[in-house]
């Protein structure tokens, strides 16, 4: 118990008014009333910003994720510029996998590339459990960021078992996920061993970020949309549940996102998140009918609409805000990440427009 200046007892776990746990973003995730619809952008920290390109000019991607000062600066860049309602930690979904001993790199223009793809039980065994000491740079960066951000919430994140497994089994990005599916159908026990191990790594990585002070976490299952609902339920859902339910005791908002998941939204909602991310293919009112009335939604402007003339963008933002009202909470976002060619000034205008149109007086 703490005592406030009036001498009344205040609960230690009550969010500080105006603090990150009482921010419009966290409140929307919790389906509480908000002063305006909060907005942030997946991949807001990155190549659409000249100040990002400059600071990254001579530093490799993975190396930049391991330097806390650099992580802090890059995470703050879009917050300063766009007035977004949340920051997202600058990192990558493969950072904890590299910390677990997998030899990999992030190749510019390609994405994660794994030196020796995972194909056998011995390969799975070599993926070590991780703890804070293995990712101390993330712990340090989150602590620095929480100080710098003040009332703006910081979102921690990790990759979900299926999306991580796809990079590890394929050896790099894949359009069809053919090798991953071959492993799933052909050697289901090995598949479950791999996905189970990745769920442990992901859970540990998210716990480090939570203990260091993030205000919410997002679990990215970007490529889950490659699966049928039946296969998703059988091969993937139990492992995503292991991650999300493993965080239930923390009581912190959990967001679960994938691309091309129209057929999976109901099942993804069952994984245990408080908020389900929706890509641009499914209108938010239809999405909320599939997800159910007890979860908030996040999305879902097509990142390509940002290249259209302003009146088109404005009409799309209005439509999404209208359709988002069908859900018990709405966090405005894109349907997938910011594309590198995006004009950052358009992103700033979208933030202002979302705030203006959704302001509740
Ligand atoms: O602003 C933010 O959203 C935080 C930063 C962030 C990055 N990666 C930085 C990054 C986040 C949240 C991610 C998650 C991530 N990484 C996902 C899930 C989200 C999604 O987009 O679906 C996935 C699938 C990855 C794997 C990955 N890493 C890909 C596909 C790529 C892009 C390859 C390319 O160069 O086009 C990366 C590299 C990467 N991760 C970059 C950034 C800023 C680009 C590297 C660079 O700037 O040189």
């Amino acid at each position: 118990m703490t005592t406030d200046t009036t001498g009344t007892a205040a609960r230690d776990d009550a969010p500080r008014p105006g603090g990150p746990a009482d921010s419009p973003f966290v409140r929307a995730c919790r389906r509480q009333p908000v002063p305006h619809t909060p907005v942030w952008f997946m991949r807001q920290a990155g190549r659409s910003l000249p100040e990002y390109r400059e600071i990254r000019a001579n530093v490799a991607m993975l190396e930049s994720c391991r330097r806390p000062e650099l992580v802090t600066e890059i995470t703050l860049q879009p917050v300063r510029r766009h007035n977004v309602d949340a920051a997202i930690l600058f990192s990558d979904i493969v950072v904890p996998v590299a910390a677990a001993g997998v030899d990999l790199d992030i190749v510019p223009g390609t994405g994660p590339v794994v030196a020796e793809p995972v194909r056998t039980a011995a390969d799975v065994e070599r993926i070590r459990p991780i703890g804070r000491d293995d990712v101390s740079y993330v712990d340090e960066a989150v602590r620095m960021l929480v100080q710098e951000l003040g009332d703006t919430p910081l979102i921690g994140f990790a990759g979900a078992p299926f999306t991580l497994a796809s990079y590890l089994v394929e050896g790099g990005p894949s359009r069809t996920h053919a090798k991953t599916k071959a492993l799933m159908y052909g050697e289901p026990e090995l598949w479950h061993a791999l996905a189970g191990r990745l769920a442990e790594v992901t859970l540990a990585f998210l716990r480090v970020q939570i203990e260091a002070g993030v205000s919410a976490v997002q679990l990215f299952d970007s490529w889950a949309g490659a699966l049928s609902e039946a296969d998703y339920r059988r091969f993937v859902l139990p492992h995503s549940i292991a991650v999300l339910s493993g965080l239930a005791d923390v009581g912190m908002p959990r967001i679960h996102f994938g691309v091309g998941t129209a057929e999976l939204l109901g099942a993804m909602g069952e994984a245990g998140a408080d908020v389900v991310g929706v890509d641009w293919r499914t209108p938010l009112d239809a999405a909320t009918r599939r997800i159910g009335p007890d979860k908030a939604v996040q999305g879902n402007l097509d990142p390509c609409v940002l290249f259209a003339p302003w009146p088109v963008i404005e009409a799309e933002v209005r439509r999404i805000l209208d359709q988002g009202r069908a859900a018990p909470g709405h966090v405005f976002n894109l349907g997938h990440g910011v594309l590198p060619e995006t004009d950052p000034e358009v992103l700033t205008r979208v933030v202002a427009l979302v705030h203006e149109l959704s302001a509740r007086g």
Side-chain angles (χ1 to χ4, degrees):
M1 285 281 194
T2 52
T3 308
D4 70 17
T5 48
T6 59
T8 14
R11 284 177 46 193
D12 281 335
D13 59 353
R16 180 170 57 81
D22 191 34
S23 60
F25 166 74
V26 170
R27 292 183 63 85
C29 292
R30 295 193 189 285
R31 286 93 63 205
Q32 293 168 339
V34 285
H36 61 258
T37 301
V39 47
W40 69 281
F41 304 112
M42 292 182 279
R43 295 284 180 99
Q44 64 190 19
R47 287 172 298 179
S48 66
L49 300 185
E51 59 269 34
Y52 169 81
R53 290 195 291 267
E54 195 179 319
I55 204 169
R56 277 283 325 282
N58 296 306
V59 194
M61 178 63 194
L62 267 182
E63 172 60 21
S64 67
C65 296
R66 293 175 180 143
R67 292 196 198 167
E69 276 88 13
L70 203 52
V71 170
T72 302
E73 171 55 25
I74 295 174
T75 302
L76 292 173
Q77 284 176 346
V79 179
R80 289 191 199 111
R81 206 188 233 273
H82 302 310
N83 194 27
V84 280
D85 291 274
I88 179 156
L89 179 72
F90 181 78
S91 186
D92 194 84
I93 58 168
V94 295
V95 164
V97 183
V102 177
D103 183 2
L104 60 85
D105 198 6
I106 299 179
V107 178
T110 302
V113 174
V114 178
E116 290 172 47
V118 173
R119 303 278 161 78
T120 66
D123 295 340
V124 173
E125 277 311 306
R126 277 196 291 275
I127 305 171
R128 300 189 301 262
I130 62 163
R132 197 187 54 176
D133 291 349
D134 300 292
V135 285
S136 54
Y137 40 86
V138 169
D139 171 68
E140 219 180 298
V142 170
R143 288 176 198 277
M144 286 167 65
L145 275 163
V146 169
Q147 288 295 316
E148 293 281 330
L149 282 162
D151 294 341
T152 303
L154 176 65
I155 304 170
F157 75 91
F162 175 75
T163 292
L164 288 177
S166 171
Y167 285 108
L168 296 190
V169 176
E170 305 290 335
S174 163
R175 198 170 50 79
T176 59
H177 308 277
K179 296 188 179 78
T180 314
K181 289 183 181 180
L183 180 75
M184 212 177 241
Y185 300 128
E187 295 179 82
E189 272 178 32
L190 181 55
W191 165 261
H192 284 296
L194 171 60
R197 179 61 61 96
L198 292 173
E200 285 166 28
V201 170
T202 289
L203 183 55
F205 187 56
L206 289 172
R207 281 208 171 262
V208 170
Q209 297 174 62
I210 289 168
E211 273 159 33
V214 299
S215 293
V217 291
Q218 176 155 330
L219 186 64
F220 283 95
D221 210 353
S222 301
W223 312 140
L227 298 169
S228 68
E229 185 186 346
D231 287 345
Y232 175 83
R233 284 186 179 279
R234 182 163 161 221
F235 294 112
V236 175
L237 183 57
H239 304 290
S240 296
I241 287 176
V243 177
L244 291 166
S245 68
L247 301 174
D249 59 314
V250 190
M252 176 175 291
R254 294 154 296 173
I255 309 169
H256 195 22
F257 167 79
V259 182
T261 54
E263 296 298 325
L264 304 182
L265 287 171
M268 286 184 85
E270 291 169 33
D274 308 274
V275 185
V276 177
V278 181
D279 82 4
W280 61 91
R281 296 172 180 90
T282 313
L284 292 180
D285 48 357
T288 208
R289 284 194 293 275
R290 292 175 199 182
I291 296 161
D294 59 341
K295 295 196 191 290
V297 294
Q298 177 173 278
N300 68 345
L301 184 69
D302 185 337
C304 295
V305 166
L306 297 171
F307 302 112
W310 179 252
V312 177
I313 300 174
E314 183 172 342
E316 283 294 275
V317 169
R318 282 181 190 276
R319 176 182 65 77
I320 289 162
L321 286 171
D322 283 347
Q323 291 170 336
R325 289 196 188 94
H330 177 206
V331 176
F332 194 99
N333 205 313
L334 304 181
H336 198 183
V338 174
L339 294 165
E341 309 78 25
T342 307
D343 176 354
E345 285 180 19
V346 174
L347 291 172
T348 308
R349 280 184 84 179
V350 168
V351 173
L353 180 65
V354 170
H355 287 167
E356 181 197 319
L357 292 175
S358 65
R360 294 158 184 96

